[in-house]
Amino acid sequence: CPIYYQRFQKPILVYIDALFIKIMEVVQRHLIEKIEQIGVYIEVNPTSNLAIGVASCIDDSHIFHLNSVDDPLIKEKKENDKHRALLTINSDDLAIFNSSCENELAYMYHSMTHQGYGKENTLQWIDKIRQYGIDSSFVKHVRKPSQQYEEIEELLERIKEY
């Protein structure tokens, strides 16, 4: 439609004031609490989030806001920032982001130790997040690992024949 095309050529400016920011913070906190109560898993991809500008560096990642780390070395955490959302850390498109789940977890480890978290608490948090990933996987509920392995072997044979 030429009318819509013409209208969308102009930038739309939205002015945000301090009150609007406070309202959005309350809404976000409420949504996170609802997600925690319902038990919805949130998948995050740290490298992808950096690439698209969600965070300026991995230390500023929203991941720590969604599932905070209990660590006595980090005392500045506010009580309302301690969320326990079921979080999984994954990798995005390998061809574009050149990362794997192992790399993403390693990035989180280095980010956390860089921020001053203790190594033991960091490893416990990462193991918890890793377990959430396993628990939330839909693949294990569909087929047994032995059946998955057989299917992969069959696909590899077809590829070789092709």
Side-chain angles (χ1 to χ4, degrees), residues 22-38 65-66 80 83:
K22 285 287 187 197
I23 291 169
M24 288 298 106
E25 288 172 350
V26 170
V27 168
Q28 285 179 343
R29 189 168 51 249
H30 178 71
L31 286 173
I32 293 170
E33 289 168 0
K34 282 292 186 191
I35 288 170
E36 290 173 326
Q37 290 171 359
I38 295 170
H65 181 69
L66 295 170
N80 63 358
H83 292 289

Side-chain angles (χ1 to χ4, degrees), residues 3-104:
I3 295 171
Y4 283 109
Y5 180 77
Q6 185 180 21
R7 285 184 186 170
F8 287 115
Q9 295 303 308
K10 297 178 187 174
I12 299 171
L13 300 176
V14 178
Y15 295 98
I16 298 173
D17 60 6
L19 177 61
F20 182 79
I21 292 171
K22 285 287 187 197
I23 291 169
M24 288 298 106
E25 288 172 350
V26 170
V27 168
Q28 285 179 343
R29 189 168 51 249
H30 178 71
L31 286 173
I32 293 170
E33 289 168 0
K34 282 292 186 191
I35 288 170
E36 290 173 326
Q37 290 171 359
I38 295 170
V40 173
Y41 286 90
I42 302 171
E43 178 182 326
V44 295
N45 306 338
T47 301
S48 175
N49 290 342
L50 286 173
I52 63 173
V54 172
S56 59
C57 73
I58 205 157
D59 293 353
D60 296 333
S61 177
H62 63 287
I63 294 167
F64 302 115
H65 181 69
L66 295 170
N67 190 298
S68 56
V69 182
D70 290 325
D71 193 321
L73 297 175
I74 307 293
K75 298 188 189 294
E76 69 267 1
K77 282 284 183 190
K78 298 175 189 169
E79 200 56 41
N80 63 358
D81 281 343
K82 292 189 175 188
H83 292 289
R84 296 282 180 254
L86 298 171
L87 187 72
T88 67
I89 295 177
N90 298 291
S91 60
D92 215 333
D93 190 338
L94 179 61
I96 295 172
F97 297 102
N98 195 24
S99 189
S100 65
C101 288
E102 288 176 290
N103 287 348
E104 299 295 331

